[in-house]
Amino acid sequence: MNLQKHKKCMATVMKTAVISMLIFLMSAAYAYAGQPKYVFFFIGDGMATVQVNAAEIFASSVIDPDTRMHEKLGMSQMPYHGLATTFSENSYITDSAAAGTALACGYKTMSGVVAMDADGTVSYKSIAKAAHEAGMKVGIVSSVSIDHATPAVFYANQPSRGMYHEIDHDLANSGFEYFGGGGLKRPDGSLGNAYDAAIANGYTIVTDRAALEALTPDSGKVLAYNHTLDGSKALYYELDRPADHISLAEFTAKGIELLDNPNGFFMMVEGGKIDWACHANDARSAIEDTFAFDNAIKEAIDFYNAHPTETLIVVTGDHECGGLTIGYAGTGYGTYYDIINRQNQSYIEFGKVLSAAIGSGETFNDIKDDITTAFGLEFLSAFEKRTLEALADAGDHEASVTLRLAVDNYELQDLMRAFTLSKMPRSSRPSDRRTYELYGSYDPLTVTCTHMLNKKAGIAWTSYSHTGVPVPVFAQGVTGEDYVGFYDNTDIAKKLAAGMGLTLN
Ligand SMILES: [Zn+2]
């Protein structure tokens, strides 16, 4: 090659390189402008439109009765709204594992399967894993155990959601930067202790508010949960949460602080006990946990307000639960949500009180006060009733609430019949269909109380399980407009991936 030719060749190479570089920079700048750098994915377990609606009616009725039907949760105020299907590969009524797999990975699967195909042979890559591979930091937060189906689909691949021990080790090996909320259900087993495995992989474990607050972005990978957990290693119901227990919003806020970095982050936050309260047909507990979930969303909205051109927030539910509805035959067009404000304990906390009472041989008359304390139901004498009626006629609102909570003779018979069953060992209770329709697999007296209270408020339930209705999708921020429309739940994962410039397998 002569010198002239070599120079010309070099010039061509340089020109090509400069053009390539320019194209790369332009596309990077374009991607940066069009793609969210900070992505929040909120999943209300068991939360369809009606759960959101019930919380808003409660807020309007109790917090601010003058603005009836005008109170809105943070999620409902987002600018983009959509609707998504919930069915799984094998059922119109999904479970959380199949629904979570659809939301996280973009594939339908059988109920019970965690981020794999129906046979449990092919593993699917979640949006969280794809984000992590692309250099983003990842956080997973839940109010139930952090190895429960919904959080698990983001970091684990297992043929069954019940394989908690294997899922716990998938968590320890995930490399995700932040886990917050409930604990692990089966840390010990054939694979060794999963907490020890997490520590060996560089995780710092914190279990109280002071230790959580002390963490900084330099603390490395974190696994955080409350020192005292409720049943199934979940956080307490928001209605029962002791003041020293870290809330879902606090776990979310700390996650934001720890994950913030120049490469961005992906954070999934689950409000897991909306579902559990709806399984138990306990409206007030479901509503309070919906508020707790919305408070976590408000942390993301605050972050969005500081980074509006770089943040995406997507909120949805994985399915409805309980067949909750606004309206009941006994109350017609009326809603009386202010009466459920007299409920002070979740069904779980009342269950603890009831077990102790039954254990010490108490009678139905002995526990009437406990029923009033927990659920607000009133056992009024004829004289008390007449006095309250006079007050209510004179415009006393609290007197009319108390009257509405009064147990009549038919209801008293229902409560006493249920108490008789509650005193029996579970194994000797009748197992016929009628009994199941009345109480599900719950404590008979407790679920009779929540049904009675809810019906008086104009709230009805059709099931102790999930139902097959669609769920709302709320979105705000960069690519938020992609979530308008009515689409399949698998499309949500695909929309997230497309918006973030990621590929799912
Ligand atoms: Zn459920």
Side-chain angles (χ1 to χ4, degrees), residues 182-261:
L184 300 177
K185 283 188 81 172
R186 208 168 299 146
D188 290 307
S190 58
L191 300 171
N193 181 278
Y195 287 113
D196 290 344
I199 292 166
N201 287 336
Y203 283 89
T204 299
I205 296 179
V206 296
T207 61
D208 62 66
R209 182 176 283 137
L212 186 72
E213 281 175 356
L215 294 171
T216 71
D218 299 326
S219 299
K221 290 178 284 191
V222 170
L223 174 53
Y225 55 95
N226 271 321
H227 52 82
T228 309
L229 292 164
D230 209 8
S232 298
K233 304 289 181 200
L235 303 187
Y236 275 61
Y237 276 107
E238 186 63 15
L239 185 57
D240 308 320
R241 183 167 62 86
D244 67 325
H245 283 208
I246 306 162
S247 69
L248 191 66
E250 289 175 275
F251 279 116
T252 305
K254 195 64 189 187
I256 294 171
E257 182 193 333
L258 299 180
L259 296 173
D260 194 0
N261 80 101

Side-chain angles (χ1 to χ4, degrees), residues 52-112:
V52 177
N53 200 194
E56 291 178 343
I57 294 175
F58 178 78
S60 305
S61 307
V62 175
I63 300 166
D64 194 359
D66 298 333
T67 63
R68 254 180 169 349
M69 300 202 281
H70 287 106
E71 287 286 343
K72 289 247 176 171
L73 295 183
M75 63 182 109
S76 321
Q77 294 180 50
M78 292 186 176
Y80 304 111
H81 294 182
L83 203 58
T85 63
T86 57
F87 62 88
S88 74
E89 190 170 320
N90 61 320
S91 175
Y92 283 115
I93 301 176
T94 188
D95 84 321
S96 290
T101 301
L103 295 173
C105 309
Y107 288 94
K108 295 282 188 197
T109 192
M110 298 272 275
S111 295

